[in-house]
Amino acid sequence: MNNRTTFLALSAIVTAFTVSAAAATRHTSTTFDEILLPSAGARGYVTGEFDMVIDHPPLLQYVYGLPVFLSRPSYPAESLADWNHDLRYGYARAFFWQVGNDPERIAFIARFMGVLMGAALIVVTFLLTRSAAGPAAGLIAALLVASLPDVLAHSGISYNDVPLALVLLVTAWAIDRTVRRPTIARAAVAGLATGIAFGVKFSAIVLGPMTLLLLLCEAVTRWPDRGWLRRTLLLIPVFTVAAYLALVAVYLGDFTLREFWVGLDINIRHANTGHGAPAVLLGRYSLEGWWYFFPVAFFLKTSVALHALLLVALAGALAAVRHGRQSAPHAAAAPSTRALLERALASPLRVPAVGGAVFLAFVIAADLNIGFRHALPILPFACILIAAGVRRAWSLRLPLLRAVVVAALAWHVIAPLRFYPFYISFLSEYTGPVEYSYETLVDSSLDWGQGLLELRNFMRQENVPRIMLSYFGSALPEGYGIDYVAMPSFFPLPAYGVAEGDTLPRWVAISATNLAGNYLRGDPFARFRDIRPTAVVGRSIFLFHLEGD
């Protein structure tokens, strides 16, 4: 492929992704956690204090908060002395819905920054795959990432899951370049990238074991190269100082990094509490979760087309191994198992292999099964490996295999579009109808509070003046013009629109997570699970029209 063709193809992929992800944000209400970073960031630019959210590093507060701040919004009164979990949500809700701001405009301004980071993830995936497996594999990887439902969904949410995937991908490759050819410049760049990654999300702690494994891979292939070992050891201080200074810059010159250590401790304890959080998987409910939650969720949150391409990639990898064994002129000269192992350890594809494996172990070891988004950084690594394997399989020149590749790539692109604009609620072809989706997965894998705009549209179209509402999310429904009678919700809803003697509405709206029985004491909506919903809006809010008693 020539450079012009490659550039045009990549541009088309990135443009289509950007348009689709950005357009989808106009149809979804703010999700559970995303109101925090834009409001905290905008407030920080006014007060000079970015202390409202300390359980996440502040870098994304700067990113999401800046365009919101530049839009000149109104701010709630500075009357809260301590930013604990409840108070910070109170400030953010007031910022979006109670001081005269347009919540949909603010959400779009912040979300577009997330869309740009999603586009950057696609470009970086292409560049890194091209360097390891050629431009055709790079375009395949870019297309795979651009069509992942969770990347489409979470790029349009002003939070930290897609940015984490981006910085981990860049940082892992920077570390590997330093390991392969240790120089001061490369060590400094890798250290800076590591510091920035820790400024995005504390989950960047996985870079520790990733680095150790990459060092081990290189040491095995170089043994006993003492010169390489000496250079590597001497560059550890360079790497460490660069990472530290980058993190100090992220924390605005705090050389003690006090808030960093506090936030890291909060996250470690939160992810390893020993009892996790309520979770649903394929009709089962658990407070402890399952070790296999994320491997199973991978097949539930990605299309069958990607799974077919995974099988094709495995066939391509096996063909590559067989070709390596048969490439010698005679059997006696065939490479030994050790030689093949060293070749694999030295492969440019060791970064996605190590990165994906380490992050998978990380999420499996944690106690939280509240959303497949926590495993999102695995997906670009996996797409790079799949693209390289598919490119290898294509070179076998088998017509049937090529037909499978073309069909699978086409379906991989089409599959998430069937869920537009509610990409976050995507479930694979293995699952049942939407009326029973809450039995498969809930929380941020299906229902993260994104359905209020669609609920408002439904009420207007069907001339429903008021509903009974149980909502899973942090948004204020009345801020979107929804008249309701409050039912049990994760955040107690204000008693909006209720007057003595009012007749209760016949329409009941229940978020999927609440319907599944998560978080709410006593499972108050268990009886509704025996009733087929009248409608499901936003693929996340279940509507029931009650007749008689």
Side-chain angles (χ1 to χ4, degrees):
M1 302 184 66
N2 60 50
N3 291 337
R4 184 173 182 273
T5 302
T6 302
F7 174 78
L8 290 176
L10 179 63
S11 298
I13 292 170
V14 173
T15 300
F17 167 85
T18 302
V19 170
S20 179
T25 67
R26 306 294 289 180
H27 299 278
T28 57
S29 52
T30 57
T31 55
F32 199 104
D33 291 327
E34 74 166 315
I35 63 173
L36 294 177
L37 299 182
S39 56
R43 170 189 173 273
Y45 282 109
V46 172
T47 65
E49 299 290 338
F50 293 88
D51 58 349
M52 193 173 114
V53 180
I54 64 171
D55 58 339
H56 291 294
L59 184 56
L60 290 178
Q61 292 183 46
Y62 311 150
V63 173
Y64 294 130
L66 180 59
V68 175
F69 164 71
L70 294 176
S71 71
R72 303 175 67 87
S74 300
Y75 296 88
E78 287 287 324
S79 58
L80 304 177
D82 178 32
W83 297 115
N84 62 37
H85 184 273
D86 295 325
L87 294 180
R88 61 184 183 161
Y89 275 96
Y91 182 94
R93 294 171 101 183
F95 178 80
F96 269 82
W97 295 285
Q98 295 178 327
V99 292
N101 294 323
D102 182 344
E104 296 177 53
R105 178 172 177 265
I106 289 177
F108 179 77
I109 291 172
R111 286 172 163 182
F112 193 73
M113 301 300 290
V115 172
L116 293 180
M117 283 184 277
L121 175 63
I122 296 167
V123 173
V124 168
T125 300
F126 164 77
L127 293 174
L128 299 181
T129 309
R130 183 184 64 176
S131 69
L139 288 176
I140 294 172
L143 183 63
L144 292 180
V145 171
S147 302
L148 287 169
D150 269 45
V151 172
L152 283 162
H154 291 280
S155 293
I157 295 173
S158 50
Y159 207 48
N160 52 23
D161 298 297
V162 167
L164 177 65
L166 172 62
V167 295
L168 284 184
L169 193 59
V170 172
T171 305
W173 232 279
I175 290 172
D176 188 60
R177 282 171 55 85
T178 306
V179 167
R180 291 178 186 273
R181 186 183 172 191
T183 66
I184 293 177
R186 291 188 175 194
V189 169
L192 290 173
T194 300
I196 292 172
F198 273 101
V200 169
K201 195 173 183 180
F202 290 111
S203 300
I205 197 172
V206 299
L207 288 170
M210 284 184 194
T211 302
L212 291 176
L213 283 176
L214 290 172
L215 282 167
L216 180 61
C217 290
E218 190 69 13
V220 170
T221 61
R222 283 180 176 266
W223 185 261
D225 187 346
R226 294 183 179 180
W228 169 84
L229 180 60
R230 183 170 56 254
R231 291 193 304 273
T232 301
L233 293 175
L234 289 174
L235 289 176
I236 289 177
V238 175
F239 173 88
T240 304
V241 170
Y244 170 71
L245 292 177
L247 205 49
V248 168
V250 167
Y251 280 89
L252 302 180
D254 179 11
F255 286 89
T256 67
L257 297 178
R258 184 184 64 84
E259 286 189 2
F260 170 78
W261 297 116
V262 171
L264 182 61
D265 177 67
I266 291 172
N267 275 266
I268 290 174
R269 288 189 285 108
H270 178 57
N272 298 279
T273 57
H275 54 76
V280 169
L281 180 65
L282 296 175
R284 298 178 60 195
Y285 173 88
S286 174
L287 284 172
E288 293 79 24
W290 305 268
W291 70 265
Y292 52 84
F293 175 87
F294 289 101
V296 173
F298 168 80
F299 289 97
L300 299 175
K301 292 291 291 176
T302 53
S303 73
V304 67
L306 187 67
H307 312 156
L309 291 169
L310 176 59
L311 293 177
V312 171
L314 291 174
L318 291 174
V321 172
R322 183 178 303 172
H323 175 76
R325 288 188 177 276
Q326 295 176 349
S327 59
H330 50 82
S336 65
T337 301
R338 176 181 175 82
L340 289 174
L341 176 61
E342 290 181 353
R343 185 183 302 171
L345 293 178
S347 168
L349 294 173
R350 73 185 183 190
V351 174
V354 168
V358 169
F359 206 91
L360 178 60
F362 175 76
V363 294
I364 287 177
D367 295 323
L368 291 176
N369 290 169
I370 60 175
F372 183 66
R373 65 186 177 86
H374 288 152
L376 194 151
I378 297 172
L379 297 179
F381 290 131
C383 287
I384 292 172
L385 294 173
I386 291 172
V390 167
R391 178 66 186 88
R392 177 62 188 177
W394 186 272
S395 67
L396 299 177
R397 299 181 181 277
L398 300 176
L400 180 59
L401 190 61
R402 288 189 170 189
V404 169
V405 169
V406 171
L409 285 172
W411 183 248
H412 178 73
V413 173
I414 294 170
L417 297 179
R418 298 180 301 121
F419 285 74
Y420 175 87
F422 306 108
Y423 295 125
I424 196 172
S425 300
F426 178 90
L427 291 174
S428 71
E429 296 83 350
Y430 307 124
T431 59
V434 66
E435 290 84 359
Y436 303 101
S437 57
Y438 65 87
E439 297 179 351
T440 305
L441 291 166
V442 293
D443 214 305
S444 59
S445 297
L446 178 78
D447 162 37
W448 214 20
Q450 72 274 15
L452 288 181
L453 291 181
E454 194 69 6
L455 176 61
R456 182 184 66 187
N457 294 340
F458 176 87
M459 293 176 66
R460 290 174 177 175
Q461 293 169 5
E462 300 297 325
N463 195 27
V464 177
R466 188 168 58 165
I467 57 168
M468 303 276 285
L469 177 62
S470 172
Y471 175 59
F472 180 73
S474 60
L476 291 178
E478 61 269 30
Y480 288 113
I482 295 172
D483 191 354
Y484 65 90
V485 175
M487 296 197 299
S489 301
F490 186 93
F491 284 117
L493 295 173
Y496 178 79
V498 179
E500 185 176 352
D502 276 358
T503 301
L504 292 178
R506 288 292 183 174
W507 282 97
V508 176
I510 308 172
S511 290
T513 304
N514 296 344
L515 183 60
N518 272 27
Y519 300 112
L520 302 182
R521 291 184 178 181
D523 194 7
F525 303 111
R527 293 175 62 188
F528 283 88
R529 294 198 289 271
D530 297 326
I531 307 172
R532 187 179 181 88
T534 306
V536 181
V537 297
R539 291 185 173 270
S540 62
I541 297 179
F542 288 68
L543 287 167
F544 302 88
H545 187 259
L546 304 186
E547 304 288 348
D549 293 334

